[in-house]
Amino acid sequence: MAKDMTLLWGSGSPPCWRVQIALEEKNLQGYNQKLLSFEKGEHKSKEVLEINPRGQLPAFKHGKIILNESYAACLYLENQFKSQGTQLIPEGAAEVGLMYQLIFEAQPLAQKIGEVLYYNWKVPEGERHDSAVQRNKEALKEEMKIWEGHLQGCGDFLVGKSFSLADVIIFPVFAYFIRNGGSEERYPNVAAYYKKLRDRPSIKKTWPPTWIDGPGMGTLKDI
Amino acid sequence: MAKDMTLLWGSGSPPCWRVQIALEEKNLQGYNQKLLSFEKGEHKSKEVLEINPRGQLPAFKHGKIILNESYAACLYLENQFKSQGTQLIPEGAAEVGLMYQLIFEAQPLAQKIGEVLYYNWKVPEGERHDSAVQRNKEALKEEMKIWEGHLQGCGDFLVGKSFSLADVIIFPVFAYFIRNGGSEERYPNVAAYYKKLRDRPSIKKTWPPTWIDGPGMGTLKDI
């Protein structure tokens, strides 16, 4: 059904995962795929660079059409397969507006998680400062509080009464937060949302394989 | 026509500008608007915080629907006013795919420009390193080279033969680069694209007022 699509992906990457969820929701199973290892540097391999010259995963193509940015891939799939599988853009103006607003507010959230998790990887040794580490943690705590507010009174889904692009895009970010030790107690609304959606078929089927055997590193435990 | 819309904006901010361009293209003139000053800290004022609790501009609402993230606002306006004004999402799959891919690749571009321009503002004095400044500049140069490649053989617009969301979203970023001293000689494809679009009515009408009297600071001149 989706034999003209190819996805190169890495386990545990929210950007990769959301493309996988979108493909499932749009009934686009059967695409070509390959799991690559970030640890082994396979995201810089020739086969990735041929699709994604930035050397990042996901690297995704539909025929000759390249969609390496995960948001782009999700929006494209919904645009091209509107009437297939789950309708991922809601009908009402209020729901459409909230959906778009949330998916773009999720970008600072993901960025702040990354700034805490990857500080030592991003910042050369001689440029590291405890004050910066502390500031990044505080910024992530503030961001998580904003999301606790967004999720106050949230039903089964982030927007209205049905699963939408907001869930496709944002669920993997919360799952990533929790996987890396983020507190379910301090952010109960986030945790409740996470628990409601984690067994949805599209999500369960694409759960990062490296997350199945044993716990994460706990790096975010004091957030 | 658009009396139920309110935009609080700052001059010279690509996120604000793209919302203004989208509103013009969708024939949504006549909205309530207020120009605020970043220098005076007006983006942290009560009237902004009431719409945008993050204290950022743009702060935009349509009735009770809040769209503060500029990408969200542009996508929402196109979704809600599809058949009004310029059609901002193209028809063909290849064009749709390229459009989405480009608008999300513009996020690292804008981020890298910001990391060079605002280093001293973002990084406390005791944490600054010349090596980081240099690395940020090199990263922006590499990013600009990618865009020179993307624009090779580009016609009047970023995607296909018509103006699209890619132009709405990305033109202000290139204009910002050039306004801040970015080289038109080293990036001739970017400069050619900029010159082709700068007199488009929606763009000319919304040109940042603080850019009209005199040149910018030239901070990006060695990029």
Side-chain angles (χ1 to χ4, degrees):
Chain A
M1 193 165 208
K3 289 204 172 100
D4 54 350
M5 295 185 182
T6 298
L7 176 67
L8 309 180
W9 60 287
S11 176
S13 144
C16 295
W17 195 4
R18 59 174 69 111
V19 179
Q20 294 174 295
I21 295 170
L23 287 163
E24 292 298 321
E25 293 287 342
K26 300 310 288 180
N27 285 341
L28 291 163
Q29 291 86 0
Y31 55 91
N32 305 293
Q33 59 167 304
K34 191 168 180 182
L35 170 59
L36 298 175
S37 163
F38 290 111
E39 290 70 25
K40 293 180 186 164
E42 290 174 350
H43 53 300
K44 302 294 181 190
S45 64
K46 184 161 169 284
E47 74 182 312
V48 173
L49 293 171
E50 277 174 1
I51 300 175
N52 190 343
R54 292 178 186 268
Q56 295 170 338
L57 298 176
F60 177 65
K61 62 178 181 174
H62 176 204
K64 292 182 177 173
I65 303 169
I66 303 265
L67 292 142
N68 296 320
E69 300 296 322
S70 66
Y71 276 61
C74 293
L75 285 162
Y76 169 85
L77 290 171
E78 177 58 18
N79 178 287
Q80 290 297 300
F81 300 93
K82 274 191 189 72
S83 54
Q84 184 173 317
T86 310
Q87 181 185 328
L88 294 174
I89 295 183
E91 289 293 339
E95 288 75 19
V96 170
L98 179 60
M99 182 197 77
Y100 282 127
Q101 175 64 15
L102 288 179
I103 69 180
F104 290 97
E105 279 198 56
Q107 294 188 321
L109 170 64
Q111 190 182 344
K112 286 168 189 173
I113 293 174
E115 282 166 358
V116 173
L117 282 179
Y118 301 119
Y119 184 78
N120 284 351
W121 181 82
K122 286 184 178 181
V123 180
E125 193 168 359
E127 297 177 14
R128 292 178 202 153
H129 296 273
D130 290 344
S131 48
V133 170
Q134 203 50 44
R135 193 170 56 249
N136 290 343
K137 286 183 179 176
E138 290 305 317
L140 178 53
K141 286 180 196 173
E142 287 305 309
E143 185 69 32
M144 287 301 299
K145 283 183 205 158
I146 291 175
W147 284 91
E148 272 295 291
H150 287 339
L151 290 167
Q152 187 67 42
C154 171
D156 287 349
F157 307 105
L158 283 171
V159 175
K161 296 196 166 133
S162 57
F163 188 85
S164 75
L165 279 177
D167 302 296
V168 171
I169 286 175
I170 300 171
F171 177 84
V173 182
F174 287 140
Y176 192 65
F177 176 78
I178 289 171
R179 165 69 184 180
N180 282 288
S183 171
E184 299 189 47
E185 289 70 36
R186 279 193 293 281
Y187 307 105
N189 295 336
V190 167
Y193 168 75
Y194 167 77
K195 285 173 188 160
K196 276 181 216 160
L197 270 192
R198 68 182 167 186
D199 289 326
R200 186 175 172 91
S202 65
I203 289 173
K204 204 167 180 180
K205 181 174 170 188
T206 56
W207 201 265
T210 54
W211 291 10
I212 292 168
D213 298 329
M217 302 273 280
T219 316
L220 300 179
K221 65 182 185 303
D222 56 348
I223 296 302
Chain B
M1 194 164 207
K3 288 201 174 105
D4 54 349
M5 295 186 183
T6 298
L7 177 66
L8 308 180
W9 60 288
S11 176
S13 143
C16 295
W17 195 4
R18 59 174 69 112
V19 180
Q20 295 175 293
I21 296 171
L23 287 163
E24 292 298 322
E25 293 288 343
K26 299 311 288 183
N27 285 342
L28 291 162
Q29 291 86 0
Y31 54 91
N32 306 295
Q33 58 167 305
K34 191 167 179 182
L35 170 58
L36 297 176
S37 163
F38 290 112
E39 290 70 25
K40 293 181 187 165
E42 291 174 349
H43 52 300
K44 301 295 180 190
S45 64
K46 185 162 168 282
E47 75 183 310
V48 172
L49 293 170
E50 277 174 2
I51 299 175
N52 189 344
R54 292 178 186 269
Q56 295 171 338
L57 299 176
F60 177 66
K61 61 178 181 174
H62 176 204
K64 292 182 176 172
I65 304 169
I66 302 266
L67 291 142
N68 296 319
E69 300 296 322
S70 66
Y71 277 60
C74 293
L75 286 162
Y76 169 84
L77 290 172
E78 177 58 18
N79 178 288
Q80 290 297 301
F81 300 94
K82 276 191 187 73
S83 54
Q84 183 174 318
T86 311
Q87 181 185 329
L88 294 174
I89 295 183
E91 290 292 339
E95 287 75 19
V96 170
L98 179 60
M99 182 196 77
Y100 282 127
Q101 175 64 17
L102 288 179
I103 69 178
F104 290 98
E105 279 198 56
Q107 294 189 319
L109 170 63
Q111 189 182 347
K112 286 169 189 172
I113 293 174
E115 281 166 359
V116 174
L117 283 180
Y118 301 118
Y119 184 77
N120 285 353
W121 181 81
K122 285 185 178 181
V123 180
E125 194 167 358
E127 296 177 14
R128 292 178 201 155
H129 296 274
D130 289 345
S131 48
V133 170
Q134 202 51 44
R135 193 170 55 248
N136 289 343
K137 286 183 178 177
E138 290 306 317
L140 177 53
K141 286 180 195 173
E142 287 306 308
E143 184 69 33
M144 286 302 299
K145 282 183 205 158
I146 292 175
W147 285 91
E148 271 296 290
H150 286 338
L151 290 167
Q152 188 66 42
C154 172
D156 288 348
F157 307 104
L158 284 170
V159 175
K161 297 199 166 131
S162 57
F163 188 85
S164 74
L165 279 177
D167 302 295
V168 171
I169 285 176
I170 300 170
F171 177 85
V173 182
F174 287 139
Y176 192 67
F177 176 77
I178 289 171
R179 165 70 186 180
N180 282 288
S183 172
E184 298 188 47
E185 290 68 37
R186 280 194 291 282
Y187 307 105
N189 295 338
V190 168
Y193 168 75
Y194 167 77
K195 285 174 188 159
K196 276 181 215 159
L197 271 192
R198 67 182 167 185
D199 289 326
R200 186 175 171 91
S202 65
I203 289 173
K204 205 168 179 181
K205 181 176 169 187
T206 56
W207 201 266
T210 54
W211 290 11
I212 292 168
D213 299 328
M217 301 273 281
T219 316
L220 300 179
K221 66 182 187 302
D222 56 347
I223 297 301

